[in-house]
Amino acid sequence: MEENILNPKEILNEFVEEEEGFRHLNNPADGIKPITKKYLGVPTHGVGSGSKYYFTDGDAKVELIVVNEEIMRVRLAPHGVFLEDFSYAVPDLKPKNIAVNFFEDDKEFRVSTAKVNCHIRKADFFISFSDQNNVITSSDAKAMHWEENTQFGGYYVFSTKECHPDENFFGLGDKPTELNLRGKRLVNWNTDAYSFAWNQDPLYRSIPFYISVNEGIAHGIFFDNTFKAHFDFGGEDRTKTSFWADGGEMQYYYIHGPHMMDVVKSYHLLTGTHPMPPLWALGYHQCRWSYYPEAKFRAVAKGFRENKIPCDAIYLDIDYMDGYRCFTWNRRYFPDPKKMIADAAEMGFKTVVIVDPGIRVDDNYPIFKEGKEKKYFCRRSDDYFMEGHVWPGRCQFPDFTNAEVREWWGSLFDELIEYGVAGVWNDMNEPAVFGSGTFPADVRHDYDGYRGSHRKAHNVYGMQMVRATYEGMRKILKNKRPFTITRAGYSGLQRYASVWTGDNVASWEHLRLGNIQCQRLSMSGIPFCGTDIGGFSGEPDGELFTRWIQLGSFSPFMRAHSAGDTKEREPWSFGEPFTAINRNFIELRYRLLPYMYSAFWEHHRYGFPILRPVVMQEQDVLKNHFRQDEFTYGDKILVCPVLEPGQKSRKVYLPKGKWFNFWTNEVETGGEEVEVPTPLETIPIFIKAGSVIPEYPVMQYVGEKPIEEIKLNVYYSDYEANSFFFEDHGESFAYEQDIYSEKKFVVNGDESSLTLNQSMEGLYTPRYDGYHFKVIGLPFVPATITIDGKDIADFVISNEKVLEFKYTKTFSTLQISK
Ligand code: GLC
């Protein structure tokens, strides 16, 4: 036995002999360097079938998923192991069962659908995409690469693509800068940005989706990565576009156009569309920090009705709460909220209340107690609670990335809803924390079971809060549509909420910025958006406020809001002539509600944006890539706000085709700029020839009176044009069961006649019986009107060459001739 016992020296010797070359230092890992900028090598293998393909350089792996004919997803695993596939933005990635062709030769691997080819170059693993005409639309300028993050683990992940001389970029949410992002470097990291400035970045929302237009062809990139993400559109190097993130996976969707509209529609296919809002939510909203006490709230309500200015919603900002504790009431200011809300409802007002994510640390506050007992609040890496100061003082914060917490949060709205609250405003959900700005990176999140630190969950926190709010309200309200609004968000937030652009400033620059931000949000998948009309901080004068009301009348979400330390800011606060003009525009909005609601339906059902900048109408005209004032609401009404003080007239570009000046009915030929007078009473508004614009009578609020007839404004055209008119109950989800009416109008005319056809789809029958036709712009004097074979004798031709008559709503074919 004894012979077998070796002394330590002998053991060492034996070891050294066996492991030749091993350095026996105290720290055997000495000299190991983190991975810096590692690029994909040469792809040695490519396999796959159906919708999934894998390529490897022997170590790293690239996955390609063919989602449908237009969309492919690229994903990189630096060491061959992909993270679990989970996305808040794309809840249900179901690749379509389509024909996909997989091809290999000595130059490349190629995966093709009928519309897109993805090329993986064998020399260097560069990935590019081409269309069915073999036009390359996007190509790597470097192979995908990564760099180790020694502090937090994982990798910084990078993708660099070629940027062409005339390539321009759009999208990315509400960046406060020019509409065209060419030359910019931008960051996505949700940030509370009080009184933000032109070019300030980042702001409240992160939408990692952009659209490129190059030589008339558009494609989109959706970089679905929730970490802090960066985009460079030919900024650092004119020939390169890059996007990268501080963690997570290099994972992006290539979305083929060729039109920008196709790209946006496909993006909505991935991330969902906005549900139909309650019709009243398209009305005018009045907000302020804050309307209190009750007497003030009632006075504002009365002010609207006395001034005969339509309004559907009044907001309660943080002062309605007891010490800013969510789900409580300050009973000194609001002794009987239920009665107050009911009285407001009697007058036709919906009440919308604010909630913030910060829950006051207070053991006498039931919400805090429950959250604490059930472990619903976020914690730091060492298990301490995440504590920070917000309005209520010291707060803890629910982890909205935990499904159970969302369920709980959603259930907390039962009392507010029982009191009659119709809408909920989610604020400060970047999340904002006074002093530090937001949570520290080490805060842990459930991330729906997929776990993550705040680095990963930060950008989705606000979206998950408003999701909890929306889903909770939807449950409590049963079949009624909730109305929610959020400040922060990530791609996909449009499934749960509308947004406003945050704490802007009462300045002309911010009016210009707001116009761009809404267009950009709209083309970035967030249709229901608006600015604080008048500017949140600072004081607008009457002219600025009125110009803002005019723009706001054509923002999908229309709300005036102002900070607590500003003067009164209701549409009548500036006296005449401003009050009358503000009233006129808000009335115009109410007249156009059926048109706006139809545009919303086109968004919800078909994924069209509501606001469409000129570049979306004519992307092949390079000059249009730099226009950012004009936009269309839906596809029929072109609006160009007045953005300068004292402006007497301005230039407006009209896309090709014929346009009617809304105010004068004069016809303009598009394809060039026209000079339009801009007295304070108007802004340039044009209607596309061939449009049928449905119109409601002016009401003080949605549903004030039964609608007895619909005005149909028919604009003559000498080519065929389609219009849609959507109607339903306006507040239930019955539309999901086809209880709606979608009417299609087709207009066509020549020098001596005009025909209008109507067809219908859906199971809803509106109560009114008839249409009041207003036919505008006939190039002939009408002598006969026939509707479904019947002659209409009763018609009037008014001064402005407008032909008017009435008929029942069920007609199929209408013909007007000389
Ligand atoms: C934030 C919001 C603002 C709100 C204020 C008080 O600044 O952005 O809209 O009025 O908080 O709640």
Side-chain angles (χ1 to χ4, degrees):
M1 288 283 275
E2 268 187 9
E3 293 153 14
N4 289 334
I5 296 172
L6 298 172
N7 70 36
K9 221 172 172 179
E10 287 171 310
I11 293 174
L12 191 65
N13 284 342
E14 196 170 272
F15 195 60
V16 169
E17 272 163 32
E18 268 178 31
E19 304 266 322
E20 237 184 313
F22 196 96
R23 292 193 298 144
H24 287 271
L25 300 171
N26 280 345
N27 180 358
D30 183 49
I32 294 179
K33 294 214 172 66
I35 299 165
T36 46
K37 283 275 157 81
K38 178 126 176 29
Y39 291 78
L40 281 170
V42 172
T44 50
H45 284 89
V47 289
S49 63
S51 59
K52 279 196 176 166
Y53 299 84
Y54 292 92
F55 307 92
T56 179
D57 60 4
D59 186 11
K61 245 192 206 166
V62 170
E63 177 194 66
L64 184 77
I65 292 194
V66 180
V67 181
N68 62 25
E69 288 188 337
E70 291 91 10
I71 309 174
M72 294 189 185
R73 188 183 82 177
V74 174
R75 204 148 75 106
L76 163 74
H79 291 301
V81 183
F82 291 98
L83 299 177
E84 286 161 298
D85 202 352
F86 171 76
S87 164
Y88 281 116
V90 185
D92 191 17
L93 183 68
K94 271 206 210 98
K96 235 174 141 185
N97 199 359
I98 51 161
V100 183
N101 199 346
F102 184 42
F103 169 88
E104 178 181 356
D105 63 14
D106 29 313
K107 287 209 188 90
E108 64 172 20
F109 297 103
R110 194 167 69 224
V111 178
S112 306
T113 70
K115 301 212 172 122
V116 180
N117 310 296
C118 174
H119 309 261
I120 289 111
R121 196 156 77 184
K122 286 201 169 162
D124 47 18
F125 226 134
F126 280 24
I127 298 177
S128 61
F129 296 89
S130 64
D131 65 13
Q132 72 268 45
N133 305 320
N134 295 320
V135 175
I136 301 278
T137 50
S138 158
S139 49
D140 278 350
K142 292 179 180 176
M144 287 192 283
H145 46 291
W146 58 94
E147 193 169 326
E148 195 162 18
N149 184 333
T150 46
Q151 196 187 355
F152 293 100
Y155 304 93
Y156 297 91
V157 288
F158 304 83
S159 175
T160 301
K161 308 215 165 268
E162 276 174 22
C163 178
H164 302 278
D166 283 336
E167 186 172 6
N168 288 304
F169 301 90
F170 303 89
L172 231 58
D174 61 352
K175 302 294 183 193
T177 190
E178 284 77 18
L179 193 66
N180 185 339
L181 300 173
R182 172 82 197 219
K184 316 248 174 217
R185 179 181 270 230
L186 299 153
V187 183
N188 277 355
W189 184 251
N190 294 357
T191 304
D192 175 11
Y194 174 79
S195 291
F196 56 88
W198 189 282
N199 275 338
Q200 185 171 323
D201 184 51
L203 297 190
Y204 307 88
R205 277 164 283 278
S206 295
I207 311 295
F209 161 59
Y210 71 81
I211 308 170
S212 135
V213 191
N214 185 40
E215 299 190 352
I217 301 178
H219 77 266
I221 296 286
F222 171 37
F223 179 27
D224 188 11
N225 180 313
T226 61
F227 285 77
K228 185 181 274 181
H230 313 256
F231 294 81
D232 187 302
F233 301 103
E236 189 181 287
D237 174 343
R238 290 185 52 77
T239 65
K240 292 189 181 67
T241 297
S242 300
F243 49 93
W244 66 101
D246 291 4
E249 279 180 326
M250 174 43 65
Q251 168 185 256
Y252 67 88
Y253 294 83
Y254 169 83
I255 304 174
H256 188 61
H259 201 279
M260 294 174 88
M261 192 66 91
D262 304 319
V263 177
V264 176
K265 283 176 73 176
S266 286
Y267 172 77
H268 278 300
L269 195 92
L270 291 169
T271 61
T273 59
H274 199 295
M276 286 306 285
L279 183 55
W280 64 262
L282 295 188
Y284 176 74
H285 299 222
Q286 182 67 40
C287 188
R288 180 159 172 80
W289 178 14
S290 299
Y291 288 131
Y292 75 93
E294 177 176 325
K296 179 73 202 175
F297 181 87
R298 287 179 183 273
V300 173
K302 210 161 138 230
F304 274 96
R305 298 305 176 240
E306 276 176 6
N307 283 289
K308 292 229 160 316
I309 297 179
C311 177
D312 261 275
I314 305 182
Y315 283 57
L316 293 174
D317 203 329
I318 48 176
D319 298 286
Y320 79 91
M321 298 184 252
D322 174 18
Y324 309 127
R325 290 170 184 82
C326 290
F327 310 104
T328 66
W329 286 86
N330 180 323
R331 295 281 171 173
R332 206 154 50 85
Y333 297 152
F334 298 95
D336 189 352
K338 195 168 178 179
K339 169 121 189 15
M340 180 188 82
I341 295 170
D343 290 348
E346 256 317 279
M347 296 168 73
F349 294 101
K350 303 287 189 288
T351 303
V352 180
V353 300
I354 196 169
V355 290
D356 289 340
I359 300 295
R360 191 186 161 92
V361 175
D362 170 2
D363 280 319
N364 296 317
Y365 169 31
I367 307 288
F368 175 72
K369 263 181 71 183
E370 193 185 349
K372 180 175 157 186
E373 272 160 31
K374 296 192 168 150
K375 301 191 167 36
Y376 286 163
F377 298 122
C378 294
R379 292 178 186 237
R380 308 288 300 271
S381 60
D382 290 330
D383 226 29
Y384 301 117
F385 283 103
M386 161 57 216
E387 291 199 346
H389 281 259
V390 216
W391 306 122
R394 202 164 187 83
C395 287
Q396 292 187 12
F397 303 81
D399 182 8
F400 293 107
T401 70
N402 179 332
E404 193 183 325
V405 176
R406 286 198 300 271
E407 183 84 26
W408 168 67
W409 181 262
S411 72
L412 299 175
F413 291 94
D414 56 353
E415 192 183 82
L416 287 172
I417 288 171
E418 201 232 306
Y419 281 12
V421 164
V424 176
W425 169 21
N426 286 210
D427 190 21
M428 306 290 276
N429 51 352
E430 291 69 34
V433 178
F434 295 156
S436 57
T438 191
F439 295 1
D442 73 310
V443 168
R444 294 176 291 157
H445 293 271
D446 180 67
Y447 215 89
D448 277 73
Y450 293 91
R451 304 160 305 278
S453 76
H454 198 62
R455 295 171 67 241
K456 176 167 152 188
H458 176 82
N459 283 339
V460 294
Y461 186 86
M463 172 194 185
Q464 295 311 303
M465 176 185 176
V466 79
R467 171 185 180 185
T469 305
Y470 179 82
E471 287 176 346
M473 287 178 77
R474 188 163 172 174
K475 246 191 215 160
I476 301 164
L477 286 166
K478 306 252 161 34
N479 196 28
K480 252 185 156 181
R481 298 174 203 168
F483 170 71
T484 44
I485 161 168
T486 182
R487 196 170 72 173
Y490 181 73
S491 288
L493 84 87
Q494 71 276 8
R495 301 195 298 272
Y496 314 113
S498 62
V499 305
W500 90 107
T501 57
D503 297 341
N504 61 357
V505 181
S507 68
W508 290 91
E509 184 180 70
H510 265 268
L511 178 63
R512 286 192 284 278
L513 205 47
N515 181 33
I516 297 171
Q517 285 180 295
C518 288
Q519 294 179 60
R520 194 192 328 276
L521 280 166
S522 191
M523 66 206 293
S524 308
I526 302 184
F528 202 10
C529 55
T531 57
D532 280 351
I533 292 175
F536 179 69
S537 59
E539 301 287 355
D541 60 11
E543 184 189 4
L544 176 59
F545 185 79
T546 289
R547 291 305 196 189
W548 217 313
I549 283 276
Q550 293 171 334
L551 169 66
S553 299
F554 293 94
S555 293
F557 174 57
M558 184 185 191
R559 183 185 77 159
H561 183 38
S562 48
D565 56 356
T566 57
K567 289 191 211 136
E568 312 240 295
R569 196 85 73 75
E570 288 79 43
W572 58 85
S573 302
F574 300 90
E576 297 300 348
F578 307 107
T579 306
I581 304 171
N582 298 340
R583 181 188 299 111
N584 247 335
F585 267 80
I586 298 175
E587 285 183 356
L588 173 61
R589 171 137 181 141
Y590 278 74
R591 283 163 54 197
L592 292 174
L593 274 185
Y595 171 78
M596 293 183 165
Y597 195 52
S598 302
F600 216 115
W601 173 249
E602 283 187 49
H603 162 75
H604 168 72
R605 180 158 178 189
Y606 306 105
F608 289 115
I610 293 178
L611 303 184
R612 308 172 191 183
V614 163
V615 64
M616 283 195 94
Q617 342 251 340
E618 289 177 344
Q619 66 186 42
D620 48 325
V621 182
L622 198 55
K623 269 198 203 156
N624 289 344
H625 294 200
F626 303 93
R627 294 203 83 92
Q628 50 190 17
D629 289 357
E630 307 89 346
F631 60 87
T632 61
Y633 193 112
D635 64 341
K636 312 273 178 236
I637 302 184
L638 183 131
V639 178
C640 187
V642 175
L643 305 167
E644 304 284 343
Q647 198 166 23
K648 298 273 177 306
S649 74
R650 65 155 303 160
K651 285 199 165 43
V652 178
Y653 176 79
L654 299 171
K656 288 180 201 81
K658 293 247 161 56
W659 295 86
F660 285 86
N661 183 318
F662 175 76
W663 307 105
T664 63
N665 287 335
E666 271 159 39
V667 185
E668 298 281 359
T669 304
E672 55 187 19
E673 286 184 340
V674 291
E675 186 77 23
V676 185
T678 54
L680 190 60
E681 290 74 22
T682 67
I683 53 169
I685 302 175
F686 290 86
I687 315 285
K688 206 178 204 170
S691 299
V692 177
I693 310 281
E695 187 180 320
Y696 278 171
V698 170
M699 294 202 201
Q700 296 308 299
Y701 56 92
V702 166
E704 186 196 12
K705 299 175 221 156
I707 288 167
E708 268 145 26
E709 67 181 13
I710 297 278
K711 205 175 266 174
L712 280 191
N713 299 286
V714 182
Y715 289 85
Y716 171 85
S717 114
D718 57 6
Y719 49 83
E720 192 177 291
N722 297 339
S723 301
F724 293 91
F725 175 22
F726 174 84
E727 291 170 288
D728 70 356
H729 290 294
E731 55 176 15
S732 76
F733 283 95
Y735 69 87
E736 289 179 347
Q737 266 71 50
D738 294 346
I739 317 287
Y740 62 82
S741 136
E742 187 185 292
K743 292 173 178 150
K744 182 178 168 195
F745 298 111
V746 184
V747 169
N748 204 351
D750 54 32
E751 324 77 72
S752 56
S753 74
L754 177 87
T755 53
L756 166 63
N757 289 306
Q758 177 183 241
S759 54
M760 290 178 241
E761 182 195 305
L763 305 170
Y764 173 75
T765 314
R767 294 246 174 94
Y768 60 85
D769 291 323
Y771 290 141
H772 174 159
F773 292 91
K774 267 181 91 176
V775 184
I776 299 144
L778 289 174
F780 53 87
V781 180
T784 55
I785 303 175
T786 345
I787 302 185
D788 296 335
K790 255 194 236 142
D791 277 352
I792 309 297
D794 200 5
F795 60 85
V796 194
I797 302 169
S798 57
N799 298 348
E800 316 114 76
K801 295 221 179 89
V802 178
L803 167 69
E804 296 192 52
F805 54 92
K806 297 190 176 190
Y807 197 72
T808 60
K809 66 180 182 219
T810 49
F811 84 96
S812 307
T813 303
L814 153 67
Q815 180 139 33
I816 305 168
S817 353
K818 231 163 118 152

